[in-house]
Each structure stands twice: as structure tokens, then as C-alpha cells.
Amino acid sequence: MEAVFFVLVLVGINLIPQIRKRKNQTFEFKISTLTAASTLVFSLVNLFYFNNLRLKGLYSIPIINLLFVLTVVIYFSFVTNSRLKIISIPILTVFILLGLLTTFFGQLKYEKKIDDTHKIMVTSGGLMSCGQLLYLTRTTCLMFDKEVHYESSLCLRDITQIDVLRFNNELAEFEIHHNGELENPYRLKIENKNMW
């Protein structure tokens, strides 16, 4: 039901340019160019994200997703309907849904540096997860964190702090402080099987 309402809102927004009497072609060209640029950046960031490369920064992905959604809504609102716009509507609608999905599920909640190249990150779980998800990452290409280990079976919620007890070539050991019902703090040991 929500998806139908969302599509109807987008169709309604697309009808706004038909109500206006004057067209400003330079303004529409600038909006179209801005939308194309934000779509390209959004696509690249999400392509990397789904290949286990997360852009550095706690809010980098939500900000890029939000800017993309805003530019698309402005594009729908101010650019007159044309063949190119009508073709782009279903594609951009799917991208908006993908952006909202990656913003609200898998949102980065906590991160801590282990050393110069490694971090431990906590993200919100998806619809079916029993708790937050933990990622051990390594910095690559100066601006991305590449996933080297993923832990989803802990069922820990509201993680507030992670202490690094040991991190070497053989073993990583962490103490995880959380507000769940399991032992608190929870001790997590990860054996290195050529992961880092």
C-alpha cells in the first residue's frame, strides 16, 4: 500500500510542470544536469556499497542518498515532461527506493579505529535480523572501507562501545558493550583465516 502511495505522489509531482505557464529552458537544463550528476554519484557509491566497499564517514552514504532524492524530486517538479523524462521516471523511482532502503537499513551506527588501516563498524540490521551487524574493515583507495569480516549471528542491540582487547595477525578480540539481554560486555573472538 505504501509503495502505491509513493508512486502516486511521484506521479503528482511530475504533473506540477504542466501547471506552470512559462518554461525556462536554461533552468531546466541545469536541473537535468544536476540530476544526472547526482544519479551517477549515487549509482557509483551504491555499486561500491553492494560490493562490500563502504564510503568512509558516518554520514557519507545517507547524505549522498538524501541529496540524490532531493535532486530527483526537484527534477520531477520543475522539468517539463518529455520523452527522456518519461523514460527516466521508472528508473529514478527504483533508485529512490534503493536509496531509502540503504539509508534506513544498514545505517552505520558506530565505528572505532583499531589501527591505521582497520576499523570495527556497527550497522543497523535489516528487516529479518535479530540485532545489529558487525563489520571488520580495512581502508582501501584512501576513501573506502573494505569488509574483511562480517558478523550477523550475535543478536546484540544498542551497541554503545567496543573495546579492542587484542588485534594481531592471528586473532582479534573485542569487548562489546550493549543494552541487550546477553552477557554485558560481550566478548567476541575472531580468528584470522587470511582475512586481514
Side-chain angles (χ1 to χ4, degrees):
M1 185 64 180
E2 289 84 12
V4 173
F5 179 73
F6 179 72
V7 170
L8 288 175
V9 167
L10 287 180
V11 168
I13 289 173
N14 278 296
L15 294 176
I16 292 174
Q18 305 306 106
I19 298 169
R20 291 186 297 123
K21 300 214 174 168
R22 278 191 291 157
K23 280 175 54 171
N24 187 341
Q25 291 197 341
T26 56
F27 178 70
E28 287 186 8
F29 178 75
K30 288 178 183 177
I31 294 288
S32 299
T33 305
L34 182 66
T35 303
S38 72
T39 303
L40 179 66
V41 170
F42 170 82
S43 301
L44 287 173
V45 166
N46 280 285
L47 180 70
F48 289 134
Y49 177 79
F50 287 110
N51 285 302
N52 300 325
L53 286 169
R54 182 184 283 274
L55 196 61
K56 281 188 165 196
L58 221 77
Y59 302 108
S60 55
I61 291 178
I63 287 172
I64 288 171
N65 289 349
L66 180 66
L67 289 174
F68 166 72
V69 170
L70 286 175
T71 56
V72 169
V73 168
I74 291 169
Y75 173 74
F76 286 165
S77 301
F78 290 104
V79 174
T80 309
N81 291 341
S82 64
R83 180 176 290 174
L84 178 64
K85 183 179 175 186
I86 290 170
I87 291 170
S88 69
I89 288 172
I91 297 166
L92 292 175
T93 302
V94 169
F95 279 10
I96 287 174
L97 292 173
L98 177 68
L100 294 174
L101 185 72
T102 57
T103 299
F104 295 115
F105 302 112
Q107 185 178 17
L108 188 60
K109 297 290 188 178
Y110 177 86
E111 70 178 9
K112 180 174 183 145
K113 281 185 93 169
I114 299 170
D115 58 22
D116 290 338
T117 56
H118 294 90
K119 284 183 193 172
I120 187 160
M121 302 171 134
V122 177
T123 66
S124 59
L127 290 172
M128 302 300 283
S129 67
C130 68
Q132 293 177 315
L133 311 175
L134 272 77
Y135 296 89
L136 192 59
T137 64
R138 180 181 66 239
T139 300
T140 172
C141 300
L142 296 174
M143 56 191 286
F144 292 102
D145 291 320
K146 179 164 180 55
E147 174 190 320
V148 293
H149 181 72
Y150 164 74
E151 191 64 54
S152 64
S153 62
L154 299 178
C155 293
L156 300 177
R157 296 175 190 262
D158 301 322
I159 296 172
T160 56
Q161 181 181 340
I162 298 176
D163 298 323
V164 181
L165 303 178
R166 187 185 330 174
F167 187 80
N168 54 39
N169 291 332
E170 290 87 31
L171 184 73
E173 190 173 357
F174 304 100
E175 205 168 63
I176 303 168
H177 301 270
H178 61 95
N179 292 335
E181 297 173 2
L182 295 173
E183 62 181 278
N184 197 4
Y186 181 84
R187 277 211 163 173
L188 174 66
K189 290 184 182 180
I190 305 169
E191 289 184 33
N192 186 7
K193 297 176 182 171
N194 294 325
M195 295 182 289
W196 63 84

